[in-house]
Structures are given as C-alpha cells and as structure tokens.
Amino acid sequence: MAGTRFAYVRNFELPDPLLPDTYLVCRLDGHSFHRFSDEHGFAKPNDERALQLMDHAAKSAMIKFKDIMLAFGESDEFSFLFRKSTNLYNRRQSKILTTLTSYFTSCYVLYWSLYFPDTPLRYPPPFDGRIVVYPTECAIRDYFSWRQADTHINNLYNTTFWALIQKGGQTTTEAHATLRCSFPERFKKGSVIVRDIVRPIGIHDEQNRAESTELRNFEDVFPYSTYLRRPWSALSEMWKGSICASRLLQR
C-alpha cells in the first residue's frame, strides 16, 4: 500500500506505547470458562488436568517471550510479569497483548489432548487480556500477593460450594444462598473499633471536642460513609491521605 493514494489510511492508526521504565503485567483470563468447564466435564472444585494444561501453556509462553520474568496462575487465569527494561515490540500495548494472548490460547489448544485425551474440544476456548503498568517493586509484590490471596479465598469458597452440592444434595442456587446467608458479617469481616470524636452542638474549636471510643461493626476496614458523616473523626486523616484507597473500597 505504500506509495499509493490509499496510504493515508495509516494516519488513523494511533500509537499506544506503554510507559518506559515500568513493569508490565499482562493478565490473561478465560472468557466464559464456567460454561467451558461444564461442557468439557471439568472436575469440581479443581481439575488437576486443567491446571496442568494452563501451566504448560504458560511455560511455553515464557520460552517464547524471553522478557517474561515471572508467571502466576490460578484457575483459568495467568499473570505474566515483563522486566522493567523490556522493549518488546517497542512496548506497543496492542502488539504485546494480542501476540501473548493468541500464543497462549494456541498453546492451550495445541496441548489439550495431552491432558484430556478422552475429551475432544467441543469449541475454541477464548481468553481475554489486559496490560497494567506498575512503577515499583513494592507494587509488583502487592499485585502478586493480591492474586495469591484471591486464589486462597476462591478455593475455600469453591470447595465449600461444591461440597454442599456433591455431598449435601443442594442445587447450585441453594448452595449460593447458603454461603451468602449462613454467616454474619462479623464472622466474615471481623470487628472494627473506631475512636470517634463527638463534637457537641455549637462547639467547633479543637480544645472543646469531647472524645469517646465506640465499637462498630463495619463491613470495610475504612468505612468511607462514616468519614463523610464525621469529617472531624480520627478516620479523616487516613481518608485524606488515601484517595486511591477510598476509590477502590467504594467499588
């Protein structure tokens, strides 16, 4: 197309370089894998064959892409950490994401028969992906700690969920309802003791504030709604200095 009158269409292609000198984490996730696992008879709550297949595809991706330093997988997802100095595809987000996603998916299909020799693929397994940039080693440690904690929580829930179905004779709807309603919030999220500052009506100066300690059962460690009602409380300083945290906890 170069040198023709049609070459102008390339002007519509926008550059998408990722920030330099930052770590890149590409997380791939199976799309609609609840249905896929049901259609292919995965063992519940965990299918060792499926996990080994994911590991095989991830190792193949790491062999293909030398700048991947670490990979972490759980269930139907895998996170790949690229070194800070990587210049793969000139750090073009779309190029890295599409190539890694397609290669991983291709390997998943290629090695399927090694782990499911008696179960033919009924339809292609789709994976979606995203890339997030992280500036520090601390953020990287927290990211993988978050994913590993999520693995543990999901495993506990899924093991209990399928025990209610396989051993307790419940339907999936009944099992979800049991887990949702069986435990008080206090058991699931603990207790939070907040030192609240009680401001007497008509008194607004710092010296005349009266303090009291109140025991409250909050659903979150930092209850944002409480801060909005009590901007003078001890929680306010934490919220003022943690805008990002407040946004996350509201989701």
Side-chain angles (χ1 to χ4, degrees), residues 26-80:
C26 181
R27 185 165 75 249
L28 308 184
D29 197 3
H31 183 70
S32 297
F33 254 56
H34 286 294
R35 177 192 165 212
F36 183 84
S37 63
D38 289 340
E39 290 278 349
H40 292 87
F42 282 18
K44 307 292 186 178
N46 296 297
D47 192 308
E48 183 65 29
R49 301 166 301 169
L51 297 176
Q52 290 178 358
L53 174 57
M54 290 286 291
D55 289 350
H56 196 154
K59 290 176 182 178
S60 298
M62 292 186 74
I63 293 172
K64 172 72 173 178
F65 300 97
K66 306 300 184 184
D67 282 349
I68 296 178
M69 303 167 59
L70 175 78
F72 175 80
E74 62 154 319
S75 185
D76 62 344
E77 78 167 50
F78 244 100
S79 295
F80 298 91

Side-chain angles (χ1 to χ4, degrees), residues 17-228:
L18 294 161
L19 286 174
D21 200 31
T22 55
Y23 293 102
L24 311 181
V25 173
C26 181
R27 185 165 75 249
L28 308 184
D29 197 3
H31 183 70
S32 297
F33 254 56
H34 286 294
R35 177 192 165 212
F36 183 84
S37 63
D38 289 340
E39 290 278 349
H40 292 87
F42 282 18
K44 307 292 186 178
N46 296 297
D47 192 308
E48 183 65 29
R49 301 166 301 169
L51 297 176
Q52 290 178 358
L53 174 57
M54 290 286 291
D55 289 350
H56 196 154
K59 290 176 182 178
S60 298
M62 292 186 74
I63 293 172
K64 172 72 173 178
F65 300 97
K66 306 300 184 184
D67 282 349
I68 296 178
M69 303 167 59
L70 175 78
F72 175 80
E74 62 154 319
S75 185
D76 62 344
E77 78 167 50
F78 244 100
S79 295
F80 298 91
L81 172 64
F82 286 84
R83 64 178 73 252
K84 224 177 184 181
S85 59
T86 185
N87 197 38
L88 180 66
Y89 303 131
N90 293 319
R91 296 179 72 95
R92 291 165 55 193
Q93 180 175 5
S94 58
K95 189 79 169 181
I96 297 174
L97 182 59
T98 55
T99 307
L100 179 56
T101 304
S102 63
Y103 190 82
F104 180 91
T105 305
S106 299
C107 291
Y108 189 93
V109 173
L110 179 64
Y111 301 128
W112 171 267
S113 61
L114 297 179
Y115 300 94
F116 294 88
D118 301 321
T119 307
L121 269 176
R122 300 186 62 178
Y123 62 90
F127 287 86
D128 58 45
R130 73 209 68 182
I131 293 180
V132 183
V133 297
Y134 292 99
T136 65
E137 289 80 3
C138 179
I140 289 297
R141 287 195 302 271
D142 287 347
Y143 171 83
F144 285 103
S145 296
W146 167 52
R147 298 319 301 145
Q148 193 161 57
D150 186 72
T151 305
H152 181 56
I153 294 170
N154 286 341
N155 181 62
L156 290 177
Y157 184 93
N158 290 335
T159 300
T160 307
F161 174 78
W162 285 104
L164 290 172
I165 296 172
Q166 295 171 347
K167 298 179 180 180
Q170 295 189 6
T171 66
T172 55
T173 301
E174 291 170 341
H176 278 302
T178 298
L179 291 174
R180 184 170 58 249
C181 304
S182 295
F183 308 103
E185 292 298 312
R186 177 184 179 86
F187 293 173
K188 293 188 287 186
K189 297 185 178 180
S191 300
V192 180
I193 301 176
V194 177
R195 182 177 299 281
D196 202 4
I197 300 175
V198 179
R199 174 180 292 178
I201 298 176
I203 298 179
H204 301 286
D205 60 280
E206 297 285 338
Q207 295 182 348
N208 290 323
R209 289 183 184 175
E211 292 191 10
S212 68
T213 301
E214 300 181 8
L215 174 63
R216 302 176 182 275
N217 290 327
F218 291 122
E219 293 186 1
D220 293 305
V221 176
F222 300 113
Y224 186 66
S225 59
T226 300
Y227 162 63
L228 291 178

